[in-house]
Amino acid sequence: KKRSSSVIDPLVTPMWNSNFEFDVSVPELTLIRFLVEDYDASSRNDFIGQFTLPVTSLKLGYRHIHLLTKEGNPLPSASLFVHIMVLEN
């Protein structure tokens, strides 16, 4: 489990510029979940959107991850722009 830093400035298109590295032993059984929450210092973090997929389904390169509601419905215009790389030992 990894977590990016919070973006305090309420931007329309926030940027995290975070890098995460995971050691995956059994990719066939591994899921990756992208979760976005609204950080607020005075209350708990509110769910914005999420997307979960098997690691074996990841495509390399720059990708848009389209976020879904808790019920799995699409969130219009809500996506993460990510860069996926696989480093092999």
Side-chain angles (χ1 to χ4, degrees):
K1 183 176 189 177
K2 307 282 181 162
R3 173 176 245 150
S4 71
S5 60
S6 298
V7 177
I8 303 301
D9 192 17
L11 300 172
V12 174
T13 54
M15 294 181 64
W16 288 272
N17 290 325
S18 298
N19 293 312
F20 299 111
E21 188 174 315
F22 299 94
D23 292 324
V24 177
S25 300
V26 186
E28 298 81 12
L29 300 176
T30 305
L31 299 174
I32 186 164
R33 182 177 191 216
F34 297 90
L35 171 67
V36 179
E37 296 177 319
D38 179 21
Y39 174 78
D40 186 341
S42 64
S43 66
R44 65 180 180 85
N45 294 350
D46 296 318
F47 177 89
I48 299 290
Q50 64 87 28
F51 192 82
T52 305
L53 73 158
V55 167
T56 55
S57 295
L58 286 173
K59 304 244 187 268
L60 302 181
Y62 290 97
R63 301 283 178 223
H64 282 278
I65 305 292
H66 296 278
L67 299 177
L68 305 173
T69 64
K70 287 181 181 177
E71 295 77 26
N73 298 316
L75 283 169
S77 303
S79 66
L80 298 173
F81 187 58
V82 300
H83 184 247
I84 307 290
M85 292 176 19
V86 174
L87 305 173
E88 304 213 10
N89 293 334

Coordinates of all heavy atoms in Angstrom, one line a residue:
K1 N 0.9 -1.2 0.0 CA 0.0 0.0 0.0 C 0.9 1.2 0.0 O 1.8 1.3 0.8 CB -0.9 0.0 1.2 CG -1.9 1.1 1.3 CD -2.8 0.9 2.5 CE -3.9 1.8 2.5 NZ -4.8 1.6 3.6
K2 N 0.6 2.1 -0.9 CA 1.4 3.4 -1.0 C 0.4 4.5 -1.1 O -0.7 4.4 -1.5 CB 2.3 3.4 -2.3 CG 3.2 2.2 -2.5 CD 4.4 2.3 -1.6 CE 5.3 1.1 -1.9 NZ 6.6 1.3 -1.5
R3 N 0.9 5.7 -0.6 CA 0.0 6.9 -0.5 C 0.8 8.1 -1.0 O 1.9 8.3 -0.6 CB -0.5 7.1 0.9 CG -1.3 8.4 1.1 CD -1.9 8.5 2.4 NE -3.3 8.4 2.2 CZ -4.2 7.9 3.1 NH1 -3.8 7.4 4.2 NH2 -5.4 8.0 2.8
S4 N 0.2 8.9 -1.9 CA 0.9 10.1 -2.3 C 0.7 11.2 -1.3 O -0.1 11.1 -0.3 CB 0.3 10.6 -3.6 OG -1.0 11.1 -3.5
S5 N 1.4 12.3 -1.4 CA 1.2 13.4 -0.6 C -0.2 14.1 -0.9 O -0.7 13.9 -2.0 CB 2.3 14.4 -0.7 OG 2.4 14.9 -2.1
S6 N -0.7 14.9 0.0 CA -2.0 15.6 -0.3 C -1.7 16.8 -1.1 O -0.7 17.5 -0.9 CB -2.6 15.9 1.1 OG -2.9 14.8 1.8
V7 N -2.6 17.2 -1.9 CA -2.5 18.4 -2.7 C -3.5 19.4 -1.9 O -4.7 19.2 -1.9 CB -3.0 18.2 -4.1 CG1 -3.0 19.6 -4.9 CG2 -2.1 17.2 -4.8
I8 N -2.9 20.4 -1.3 CA -3.6 21.3 -0.5 C -4.3 22.4 -1.3 O -5.5 22.7 -1.0 CB -2.7 22.0 0.6 CG1 -2.0 21.0 1.4 CG2 -3.5 23.0 1.4 CD1 -2.9 20.1 2.2
D9 N -3.7 22.9 -2.4 CA -4.3 23.9 -3.2 C -5.4 23.3 -4.0 O -5.3 22.3 -4.7 CB -3.2 24.4 -4.2 CG -3.6 25.7 -4.9 OD1 -4.6 26.3 -4.5 OD2 -3.0 26.0 -5.9
P10 N -6.6 23.8 -3.9 CA -7.8 23.3 -4.6 C -7.8 23.5 -6.1 O -8.5 24.4 -6.6 CB -9.0 23.9 -3.9 CG -8.5 25.3 -3.5 CD -7.0 25.0 -3.2
L11 N -6.9 22.9 -6.8 CA -6.8 23.0 -8.3 C -7.8 22.2 -9.0 O -8.3 21.2 -8.5 CB -5.4 22.6 -8.7 CG -4.2 23.3 -8.1 CD1 -2.9 22.6 -8.5 CD2 -4.2 24.7 -8.6
V12 N -8.2 22.7 -10.2 CA -9.1 21.9 -11.1 C -8.4 20.6 -11.5 O -9.0 19.6 -11.6 CB -9.5 22.8 -12.3 CG1 -10.4 21.9 -13.2 CG2 -10.3 24.0 -11.8
T13 N -7.1 20.7 -11.8 CA -6.3 19.5 -12.2 C -5.1 19.4 -11.4 O -4.0 19.8 -11.7 CB -5.9 19.6 -13.7 OG1 -5.2 20.9 -13.9 CG2 -7.1 19.6 -14.6
P14 N -5.2 18.8 -10.2 CA -4.1 18.7 -9.3 C -3.0 17.7 -9.8 O -3.4 16.8 -10.6 CB -4.7 18.1 -8.0 CG -6.0 17.5 -8.4 CD -6.4 18.2 -9.6
M15 N -1.8 18.0 -9.4 CA -0.7 17.1 -9.8 C 0.0 16.6 -8.6 O 0.4 17.4 -7.7 CB 0.3 17.9 -10.7 CG -0.3 18.3 -12.1 SD 0.9 19.2 -13.1 CE 2.1 17.9 -13.4
W16 N 0.3 15.3 -8.5 CA 0.9 14.7 -7.4 C 2.4 14.5 -7.7 O 3.2 14.5 -6.8 CB 0.3 13.4 -7.0 CG -1.1 13.6 -6.4 CD1 -1.3 13.8 -5.0 CD2 -2.3 13.6 -7.0 NE1 -2.6 13.9 -4.8 CE2 -3.3 13.9 -6.0 CE3 -2.8 13.5 -8.3 CZ2 -4.7 13.9 -6.3 CZ3 -4.1 13.6 -8.6 CH2 -5.0 13.8 -7.6
N17 N 2.8 14.1 -8.9 CA 4.2 13.8 -9.3 C 4.8 12.9 -8.3 O 5.9 13.1 -7.8 CB 5.0 15.1 -9.4 CG 4.6 16.0 -10.6 OD1 4.2 15.4 -11.6 ND2 4.6 17.3 -10.4
S18 N 4.1 11.8 -8.0 CA 4.6 10.8 -7.1 C 5.0 9.5 -7.9 O 4.4 9.2 -8.9 CB 3.5 10.4 -6.1 OG 3.2 11.4 -5.3
N19 N 6.1 8.9 -7.4 CA 6.5 7.6 -8.0 C 6.4 6.5 -7.0 O 6.7 6.7 -5.8 CB 8.0 7.7 -8.4 CG 8.2 8.6 -9.5 OD1 7.5 8.6 -10.5 ND2 9.2 9.5 -9.4
F20 N 5.8 5.4 -7.4 CA 5.6 4.2 -6.5 C 6.3 3.0 -7.1 O 6.2 2.8 -8.3 CB 4.2 4.0 -6.2 CG 3.5 5.1 -5.6 CD1 2.6 5.9 -6.3 CD2 3.8 5.5 -4.3 CE1 1.9 6.9 -5.7 CE2 3.2 6.5 -3.6 CZ 2.2 7.3 -4.3
E21 N 6.9 2.2 -6.3 CA 7.5 0.9 -6.8 C 7.0 -0.2 -5.9 O 7.0 -0.1 -4.7 CB 9.0 1.1 -6.7 CG 9.7 -0.1 -7.3 CD 11.2 0.1 -7.3 OE1 11.7 1.2 -7.7 OE2 12.0 -0.8 -7.0
F22 N 6.6 -1.3 -6.6 CA 6.0 -2.4 -5.8 C 6.8 -3.7 -6.3 O 7.1 -3.8 -7.5 CB 4.5 -2.6 -6.2 CG 3.7 -1.5 -5.8 CD1 3.3 -0.5 -6.7 CD2 3.2 -1.4 -4.5 CE1 2.5 0.5 -6.3 CE2 2.3 -0.4 -4.1 CZ 2.0 0.6 -5.0
D23 N 7.1 -4.5 -5.3 CA 7.6 -5.9 -5.7 C 6.4 -6.8 -5.7 O 5.7 -7.0 -4.7 CB 8.6 -6.3 -4.6 CG 9.9 -5.5 -4.6 OD1 10.3 -5.1 -5.7 OD2 10.4 -5.3 -3.5
V24 N 6.2 -7.4 -6.9 CA 5.1 -8.3 -7.1 C 5.6 -9.7 -7.3 O 6.3 -10.0 -8.3 CB 4.3 -7.9 -8.3 CG1 3.1 -8.8 -8.6 CG2 3.8 -6.4 -8.1
S25 N 5.2 -10.6 -6.4 CA 5.7 -12.0 -6.5 C 4.8 -12.9 -7.4 O 5.3 -13.7 -8.1 CB 5.7 -12.6 -5.1 OG 6.6 -11.9 -4.2
V26 N 3.5 -12.6 -7.3 CA 2.5 -13.4 -8.1 C 1.6 -12.5 -8.8 O 0.5 -12.2 -8.4 CB 1.7 -14.4 -7.1 CG1 0.8 -15.3 -8.0 CG2 2.6 -15.2 -6.2
P27 N 2.0 -12.0 -10.0 CA 1.2 -11.0 -10.7 C -0.2 -11.5 -11.1 O -1.1 -10.7 -11.2 CB 2.1 -10.7 -12.0 CG 3.2 -11.7 -12.0 CD 3.3 -12.3 -10.7
E28 N -0.3 -12.8 -11.3 CA -1.6 -13.4 -11.7 C -2.7 -13.2 -10.6 O -3.9 -13.2 -10.8 CB -1.5 -14.8 -12.0 CG -0.6 -15.1 -13.2 CD 0.9 -15.2 -12.8 OE1 1.2 -15.2 -11.6 OE2 1.7 -15.1 -13.7
L29 N -2.2 -13.0 -9.3 CA -3.1 -12.8 -8.2 C -3.1 -11.4 -7.6 O -3.8 -11.2 -6.6 CB -2.8 -13.8 -7.1 CG -2.8 -15.3 -7.5 CD1 -2.4 -16.1 -6.3 CD2 -4.2 -15.7 -7.9
T30 N -2.5 -10.5 -8.3 CA -2.3 -9.1 -7.7 C -3.2 -8.1 -8.4 O -3.3 -8.1 -9.6 CB -0.8 -8.7 -7.9 OG1 0.0 -9.7 -7.3 CG2 -0.6 -7.4 -7.2
L31 N -3.8 -7.3 -7.6 CA -4.7 -6.2 -8.1 C -4.0 -4.9 -7.7 O -3.4 -4.8 -6.6 CB -6.1 -6.3 -7.4 CG -6.9 -7.5 -7.7 CD1 -8.2 -7.4 -6.9 CD2 -7.2 -7.6 -9.2
I32 N -4.2 -3.9 -8.5 CA -3.8 -2.5 -8.1 C -5.0 -1.6 -8.1 O -5.9 -1.7 -9.0 CB -2.7 -2.0 -9.1 CG1 -2.2 -0.6 -8.6 CG2 -3.2 -1.9 -10.5 CD1 -0.9 -0.2 -9.3
R33 N -5.1 -0.8 -7.1 CA -6.3 0.1 -6.9 C -5.8 1.5 -6.8 O -4.9 1.8 -6.1 CB -7.0 -0.3 -5.6 CG -8.3 0.6 -5.4 CD -9.0 0.2 -4.2 NE -10.3 0.9 -4.2 CZ -10.9 1.3 -3.1 NH1 -10.3 1.1 -1.9 NH2 -12.1 1.9 -3.1
F34 N -6.4 2.3 -7.7 CA -6.2 3.8 -7.7 C -7.4 4.4 -6.9 O -8.5 4.2 -7.3 CB -6.1 4.3 -9.1 CG -5.0 3.7 -9.9 CD1 -5.1 2.6 -10.7 CD2 -3.7 4.4 -9.9 CE1 -4.1 2.1 -11.4 CE2 -2.6 3.8 -10.6 CZ -2.8 2.7 -11.4
L35 N -7.1 5.1 -5.8 CA -8.1 5.7 -5.0 C -7.9 7.1 -4.8 O -6.7 7.5 -4.5 CB -8.2 5.0 -3.7 CG -9.1 5.6 -2.6 CD1 -10.6 5.5 -3.0 CD2 -8.9 4.9 -1.3
V36 N -8.9 8.0 -5.1 CA -8.7 9.4 -4.9 C -9.7 9.9 -3.8 O -10.9 9.5 -3.8 CB -9.0 10.2 -6.2 CG1 -8.9 11.7 -6.0 CG2 -8.0 9.7 -7.3
E37 N -9.2 10.6 -2.8 CA -10.0 11.1 -1.7 C -9.8 12.6 -1.6 O -8.7 13.1 -2.0 CB -9.6 10.5 -0.4 CG -9.8 9.0 -0.3 CD -9.3 8.4 1.0 OE1 -8.2 8.8 1.5 OE2 -10.0 7.5 1.5
D38 N -10.8 13.3 -1.1 CA -10.8 14.7 -0.9 C -10.2 14.9 0.5 O -10.9 14.7 1.5 CB -12.2 15.3 -1.0 CG -12.2 16.8 -0.8 OD1 -11.1 17.5 -0.9 OD2 -13.3 17.3 -0.5
Y39 N -9.0 15.4 0.6 CA -8.4 15.7 1.9 C -8.9 16.9 2.6 O -9.0 18.0 1.9 CB -6.9 15.8 1.8 CG -6.2 16.1 3.1 CD1 -6.0 15.2 4.1 CD2 -5.8 17.4 3.3 CE1 -5.3 15.5 5.2 CE2 -5.1 17.8 4.5 CZ -4.9 16.8 5.4 OH -4.3 17.2 6.6
D40 N -9.3 16.8 3.8 CA -9.8 18.0 4.6 C -9.3 17.8 6.0 O -9.6 16.8 6.7 CB -11.3 18.0 4.5 CG -11.9 19.3 5.2 OD1 -11.2 19.9 5.9 OD2 -13.1 19.6 4.9
A41 N -8.5 18.8 6.5 CA -7.9 18.7 7.8 C -8.9 18.7 8.9 O -8.6 18.2 10.0 CB -6.9 19.8 8.0
S42 N -10.1 19.2 8.7 CA -11.1 19.3 9.8 C -12.1 18.1 9.8 O -12.9 18.0 10.7 CB -11.9 20.6 9.6 OG -12.6 20.6 8.4
S43 N -12.0 17.2 8.8 CA -12.9 16.1 8.8 C -12.2 14.9 8.1 O -11.1 15.0 7.6 CB -14.2 16.4 8.0 OG -14.0 16.6 6.7
R44 N -12.9 13.8 8.1 CA -12.3 12.6 7.5 C -12.2 12.8 5.9 O -12.9 13.6 5.4 CB -13.0 11.3 7.8 CG -14.4 11.3 7.2 CD -15.1 10.0 7.6 NE -16.5 10.0 7.1 CZ -16.8 9.5 5.9 NH1 -15.9 9.1 5.1 NH2 -18.1 9.5 5.5
N45 N -11.3 12.0 5.3 CA -11.2 12.1 3.9 C -12.4 11.6 3.2 O -12.9 10.5 3.5 CB -10.0 11.4 3.4 CG -8.7 12.0 3.9 OD1 -8.7 13.1 4.4 ND2 -7.6 11.3 3.7
D46 N -12.9 12.3 2.2 CA -14.1 11.9 1.5 C -13.7 11.2 0.2 O -12.8 11.7 -0.6 CB -15.0 13.1 1.1 CG -15.5 13.8 2.4 OD1 -15.9 13.1 3.3 OD2 -15.5 15.1 2.4
F47 N -14.4 10.1 -0.1 CA -14.2 9.3 -1.3 C -14.5 10.2 -2.6 O -15.6 10.8 -2.6 CB -15.1 8.1 -1.3 CG -15.0 7.2 -2.5 CD1 -14.0 6.2 -2.7 CD2 -15.9 7.4 -3.6 CE1 -14.0 5.5 -3.8 CE2 -15.8 6.7 -4.7 CZ -14.8 5.7 -4.8
I48 N -13.6 10.2 -3.6 CA -13.9 10.9 -4.8 C -14.1 9.8 -5.9 O -15.2 9.8 -6.6 CB -12.7 11.8 -5.3 CG1 -12.4 12.9 -4.2 CG2 -12.9 12.3 -6.7 CD1 -13.5 13.9 -4.2
G49 N -13.2 8.9 -6.1 CA -13.3 7.9 -7.1 C -12.2 6.8 -7.0 O -11.3 7.0 -6.3
Q50 N -12.4 5.7 -7.7 CA -11.5 4.6 -7.7 C -11.5 3.8 -8.9 O -12.4 3.9 -9.7 CB -11.7 3.7 -6.4 CG -13.1 3.0 -6.5 CD -13.1 1.7 -7.2 OE1 -12.0 1.0 -7.3 NE2 -14.2 1.3 -7.8
F51 N -10.4 3.1 -9.1 CA -10.4 2.1 -10.2 C -9.5 1.0 -9.8 O -8.4 1.2 -9.3 CB -9.9 2.7 -11.5 CG -10.2 1.8 -12.7 CD1 -11.4 1.8 -13.3 CD2 -9.2 1.0 -13.2 CE1 -11.6 1.0 -14.4 CE2 -9.4 0.2 -14.3 CZ -10.6 0.2 -14.9
T52 N -9.9 -0.3 -10.0 CA -9.1 -1.4 -9.6 C -9.0 -2.4 -10.8 O -10.0 -2.6 -11.5 CB -9.8 -2.2 -8.4 OG1 -10.0 -1.3 -7.3 CG2 -8.9 -3.4 -8.0
L53 N -7.8 -2.9 -11.0 CA -7.6 -3.8 -12.1 C -6.5 -4.8 -11.8 O -5.6 -4.5 -11.0 CB -7.3 -3.1 -13.4 CG -6.0 -2.5 -13.7 CD1 -5.7 -2.3 -15.1 CD2 -5.9 -1.1 -13.0
P54 N -6.5 -6.0 -12.4 CA -5.4 -6.9 -12.2 C -4.0 -6.3 -12.8 O -4.0 -5.6 -13.8 CB -5.8 -8.1 -13.0 CG -7.2 -8.0 -13.4 CD -7.5 -6.5 -13.3
V55 N -3.0 -6.6 -12.1 CA -1.6 -6.1 -12.5 C -1.3 -6.6 -13.9 O -0.7 -5.9 -14.7 CB -0.5 -6.5 -11.5 CG1 0.8 -6.4 -12.1 CG2 -0.7 -5.8 -10.2
T56 N -1.8 -7.8 -14.2 CA -1.5 -8.4 -15.6 C -2.3 -7.7 -16.7 O -2.0 -7.9 -17.8 CB -1.9 -9.9 -15.6 OG1 -3.3 -10.0 -15.2 CG2 -1.0 -10.7 -14.7
S57 N -3.2 -6.8 -16.3 CA -4.0 -6.1 -17.3 C -3.4 -4.7 -17.6 O -3.8 -3.9 -18.4 CB -5.4 -5.9 -16.9 OG -6.1 -7.1 -16.9
L58 N -2.4 -4.3 -16.8 CA -1.7 -3.0 -16.9 C -1.0 -2.9 -18.3 O -0.4 -3.8 -18.7 CB -0.7 -2.7 -15.8 CG -1.2 -2.4 -14.5 CD1 -0.1 -2.4 -13.5 CD2 -2.0 -1.1 -14.5
K59 N -1.2 -1.8 -19.0 CA -0.5 -1.5 -20.2 C 0.6 -0.5 -19.9 O 0.4 0.4 -19.2 CB -1.5 -1.0 -21.2 CG -2.7 -1.9 -21.5 CD -2.7 -2.3 -22.9 CE -4.0 -3.1 -23.2 NZ -3.9 -4.5 -23.0
L60 N 1.7 -0.7 -20.5 CA 2.9 0.1 -20.3 C 2.7 1.5 -20.9 O 2.0 1.6 -22.0 CB 4.1 -0.6 -20.7 CG 4.4 -1.9 -20.1 CD1 5.8 -2.5 -20.6 CD2 4.5 -1.8 -18.6
G61 N 3.4 2.5 -20.4 CA 3.4 3.8 -21.0 C 2.4 4.8 -20.3 O 2.0 4.5 -19.2
Y62 N 2.1 5.8 -20.9 CA 1.2 6.9 -20.4 C -0.2 6.4 -20.6 O -0.6 6.0 -21.7 CB 1.4 8.2 -21.0 CG 2.8 8.8 -20.6 CD1 3.9 8.7 -21.4 CD2 2.9 9.5 -19.4 CE1 5.1 9.2 -21.0 CE2 4.1 10.0 -19.0 CZ 5.2 9.9 -19.8 OH 6.4 10.4 -19.4
R63 N -1.1 6.5 -19.6 CA -2.4 6.0 -19.7 C -3.3 6.9 -18.8 O -2.9 7.5 -17.9 CB -2.6 4.6 -19.1 CG -1.7 3.6 -19.7 CD -2.3 3.2 -21.0 NE -1.5 2.2 -21.7 CZ -1.2 2.2 -23.0 NH1 -1.7 3.2 -23.7 NH2 -0.4 1.3 -23.5
H64 N -4.6 7.0 -19.3 CA -5.7 7.6 -18.5 C -6.4 6.5 -17.7 O -6.9 5.6 -18.3 CB -6.6 8.4 -19.4 CG -6.1 9.7 -19.8 ND1 -6.2 10.8 -19.1 CD2 -5.5 10.1 -21.0 CE1 -5.6 11.8 -19.7 NE2 -5.2 11.4 -20.9
I65 N -6.5 6.7 -16.4 CA -7.2 5.8 -15.6 C -8.6 6.5 -15.3 O -8.6 7.5 -14.5 CB -6.5 5.5 -14.2 CG1 -5.1 4.9 -14.5 CG2 -7.3 4.5 -13.4 CD1 -5.0 3.6 -15.1
H66 N -9.6 6.0 -15.8 CA -11.0 6.6 -15.7 C -11.5 6.1 -14.3 O -11.7 4.9 -14.1 CB -11.9 6.3 -16.8 CG -11.4 6.9 -18.1 ND1 -11.6 8.2 -18.4 CD2 -10.6 6.4 -19.1 CE1 -11.0 8.4 -19.6 NE2 -10.4 7.3 -20.0
L67 N -11.9 7.1 -13.5 CA -12.4 6.7 -12.1 C -13.8 6.4 -12.1 O -14.6 6.8 -13.0 CB -12.1 7.9 -11.2 CG -10.7 8.3 -11.0 CD1 -10.6 9.5 -10.1 CD2 -9.8 7.2 -10.5
L68 N -14.2 5.5 -11.1 CA -15.5 5.0 -11.0 C -16.0 5.4 -9.6 O -15.2 5.6 -8.6 CB -15.6 3.5 -11.1 CG -15.0 2.9 -12.4 CD1 -15.0 1.4 -12.3 CD2 -15.8 3.4 -13.6
T69 N -17.3 5.4 -9.4 CA -17.9 5.6 -8.1 C -17.8 4.4 -7.2 O -17.3 3.3 -7.7 CB -19.5 5.9 -8.2 OG1 -20.1 4.8 -8.8 CG2 -19.7 7.1 -9.1
K70 N -18.2 4.4 -6.0 CA -18.2 3.2 -5.1 C -19.0 2.1 -5.7 O -18.7 0.9 -5.5 CB -18.7 3.5 -3.7 CG -17.7 4.4 -2.9 CD -18.3 4.6 -1.5 CE -17.3 5.5 -0.7 NZ -17.9 5.8 0.6
E71 N -20.0 2.4 -6.4 CA -20.9 1.4 -7.0 C -20.4 0.9 -8.4 O -21.0 0.1 -9.0 CB -22.3 2.0 -7.2 CG -23.1 2.4 -5.9 CD -22.6 3.7 -5.3 OE1 -22.0 4.6 -6.0 OE2 -22.7 3.8 -4.0
G72 N -19.3 1.5 -8.9 CA -18.8 1.1 -10.1 C -19.3 1.8 -11.4 O -19.0 1.4 -12.5
N73 N -20.0 2.9 -11.1 CA -20.5 3.8 -12.3 C -19.4 4.8 -12.7 O -18.7 5.3 -11.8 CB -21.7 4.5 -11.9 CG -22.8 3.6 -11.5 OD1 -23.1 2.6 -12.2 ND2 -23.5 3.9 -10.4
P74 N -19.3 5.1 -14.0 CA -18.3 6.0 -14.4 C -18.5 7.4 -13.9 O -19.6 7.8 -13.7 CB -18.4 6.0 -15.9 CG -19.3 4.9 -16.3 CD -20.1 4.5 -15.1
L75 N -17.4 8.1 -13.6 CA -17.4 9.5 -13.1 C -17.0 10.3 -14.3 O -15.8 10.3 -14.7 CB -16.5 9.7 -12.0 CG -16.9 9.3 -10.6 CD1 -15.8 9.3 -9.6 CD2 -18.1 10.1 -10.1
P76 N -17.9 11.0 -15.0 CA -17.6 11.8 -16.1 C -16.4 12.8 -15.8 O -16.4 13.5 -14.8 CB -18.9 12.6 -16.5 CG -19.9 11.8 -15.8 CD -19.3 11.2 -14.6
S77 N -15.5 12.9 -16.7 CA -14.4 13.8 -16.7 C -13.5 13.6 -15.5 O -12.7 14.5 -15.1 CB -14.9 15.2 -16.7 OG -15.6 15.5 -17.8
A78 N -13.5 12.4 -14.8 CA -12.6 12.2 -13.7 C -11.7 11.1 -14.0 O -12.1 9.9 -14.2 CB -13.5 11.8 -12.4
S79 N -10.4 11.4 -14.2 CA -9.4 10.4 -14.5 C -8.1 10.8 -14.0 O -7.8 12.0 -13.6 CB -9.3 10.2 -16.1 OG -8.8 11.4 -16.7
L80 N -7.2 9.8 -13.9 CA -5.8 10.0 -13.5 C -4.9 9.8 -14.7 O -5.2 8.8 -15.5 CB -5.4 9.1 -12.4 CG -6.1 9.1 -11.1 CD1 -5.7 8.0 -10.2 CD2 -5.9 10.5 -10.4
F81 N -4.0 10.6 -14.9 CA -3.0 10.4 -16.0 C -1.7 9.8 -15.4 O -1.1 10.5 -14.5 CB -2.7 11.8 -16.7 CG -1.9 11.7 -17.9 CD1 -2.3 10.9 -19.0 CD2 -0.7 12.3 -18.0 CE1 -1.5 10.8 -20.1 CE2 0.1 12.3 -19.1 CZ -0.3 11.5 -20.2
V82 N -1.4 8.6 -15.7 CA -0.3 7.9 -15.1 C 0.7 7.4 -16.1 O 0.4 7.2 -17.3 CB -0.8 6.7 -14.2 CG1 -1.8 7.2 -13.1 CG2 -1.5 5.7 -15.1
H83 N 1.9 7.1 -15.6 CA 2.9 6.4 -16.5 C 3.2 5.1 -15.8 O 3.7 5.1 -14.7 CB 4.1 7.3 -16.6 CG 5.2 6.7 -17.5 ND1 6.4 6.3 -17.1 CD2 5.1 6.5 -18.8 CE1 7.1 5.8 -18.1 NE2 6.3 5.9 -19.2
I84 N 3.0 4.0 -16.5 CA 3.2 2.7 -16.0 C 4.5 2.1 -16.6 O 4.7 2.1 -17.8 CB 2.1 1.7 -16.4 CG1 0.7 2.3 -16.0 CG2 2.3 0.3 -15.8 CD1 0.5 2.3 -14.5
M85 N 5.4 1.6 -15.7 CA 6.6 1.0 -16.1 C 6.8 -0.3 -15.4 O 6.3 -0.4 -14.2 CB 7.9 1.8 -15.8 CG 8.0 3.1 -16.6 SD 9.3 4.2 -16.1 CE 10.5 3.2 -15.3
V86 N 7.4 -1.3 -16.0 CA 7.7 -2.6 -15.3 C 9.2 -2.8 -15.4 O 9.8 -2.8 -16.5 CB 6.9 -3.8 -16.0 CG1 7.4 -5.1 -15.4 CG2 5.4 -3.6 -15.9
L87 N 9.8 -3.0 -14.2 CA 11.2 -3.2 -14.1 C 11.4 -4.7 -13.7 O 10.8 -5.1 -12.7 CB 11.8 -2.3 -13.0 CG 11.6 -0.8 -13.2 CD1 12.1 -0.1 -12.0 CD2 12.3 -0.4 -14.5
E88 N 12.1 -5.4 -14.5 CA 12.3 -6.9 -14.2 C 13.7 -7.1 -13.6 O 14.6 -6.4 -14.0 CB 12.1 -7.7 -15.5 CG 10.8 -7.4 -16.1 CD 10.2 -8.6 -16.8 OE1 10.7 -9.7 -16.7 OE2 9.2 -8.4 -17.5
N89 N 13.7 -8.0 -12.6 CA 15.0 -8.3 -12.0 C 15.8 -9.2 -12.8 O 15.4 -10.2 -13.3 CB 14.8 -8.8 -10.6 CG 14.2 -7.7 -9.7 OD1 14.4 -6.6 -9.9 ND2 13.5 -8.2 -8.7

